[in-house]
């Protein structure tokens, strides 16, 4: 959730249409899109692609991956033991690469916040990756 927002704000918006004071327009837009997409907000984890589809996506995005390779490697080293991770996603919201704190990456895997996870708003509902891509 954004700065100052709580999960309960999203729940009240879904149930009652109550808009929290000070919500940023980009976040409200995501909430509106996600609420209108039916049951997406009830998903407990993002969809995850099969390894062969992930590899196809990685191949199609080789220029992006090559351009980001050094930055991802360096950031991953800086984020180790920092309680953070860096994700590289394609334009469709598929996570192509992940780097950073191994503990945080492991926790993220529970929700498919790892290579192959699909984080487009149309697949999982409101989330930072999907909102940024929108």
């Amino acid at each position: 959730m954004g700065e100052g927002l709580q999960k309960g704000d999203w729940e009240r918006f879904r149930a009652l249409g109550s808009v929290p004071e000070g919500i940023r327009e980009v976040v409200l837009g995501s909430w509106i899109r996600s609420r209108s997409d039916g049951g997406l907000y009830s998903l407990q984890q993002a969809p995850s692609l099969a390894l062969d589809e992930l590899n196809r996506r990685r191949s199609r995005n080789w220029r992006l991956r090559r351009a980001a390779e050094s930055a991802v490697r360096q950031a991953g080293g800086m984020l180790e033991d920092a309680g953070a991770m860096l994700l590289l996603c394609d334009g469709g919201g598929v996570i192509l690469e992940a780097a950073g704190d191994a503990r945080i990456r492991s926790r993220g895997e529970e929700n498919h916040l790892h290579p192959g996870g699909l984080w487009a708003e149309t697949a999982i509902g409101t989330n930072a990756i999907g909102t940024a891509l929108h």
Side-chain angles (χ1 to χ4, degrees):
M1 295 284 142
E3 190 175 312
L5 293 175
Q6 305 296 318
K7 185 170 180 136
D9 292 327
W10 164 238
E11 300 299 330
R12 280 186 292 285
F13 175 79
R14 278 188 22 218
L16 307 171
S18 174
V19 177
E21 187 174 316
I23 189 171
R24 294 181 308 150
E25 286 297 318
V26 67
V27 174
L28 180 57
S30 175
W31 285 13
I32 291 168
R33 287 187 301 277
S34 296
R35 185 176 68 173
S36 68
D37 280 340
L40 289 179
Y41 53 76
S42 66
L43 296 176
Q44 297 299 305
Q45 58 185 208
S48 187
L49 302 180
L51 183 58
D52 60 333
E53 178 58 23
L54 172 60
N55 287 334
R56 278 193 287 279
R57 293 276 188 133
R58 284 176 164 163
S59 292
R60 280 197 305 260
N61 289 282
W62 69 270
R63 285 187 206 125
L64 170 65
R65 293 178 57 237
R66 184 172 173 199
E69 183 178 20
S70 177
V72 170
R73 187 175 45 255
Q74 288 177 348
M78 290 187 298
L79 295 174
E80 190 60 49
D81 298 322
M85 66 178 164
L86 174 74
L87 303 170
L88 179 67
C89 302
D90 72 6
V94 173
I95 299 173
L96 301 174
E97 307 293 343
D101 191 315
R103 292 170 301 155
I104 300 303
R105 290 178 55 200
S106 178
R107 285 181 34 209
E109 288 180 3
E110 297 171 13
N111 297 330
H112 294 167
L113 197 58
H114 60 74
L118 176 55
W119 286 87
E121 285 184 346
T122 55
I124 184 64
T126 189
N127 71 87
I129 294 169
T131 301
L133 287 170
H134 180 81

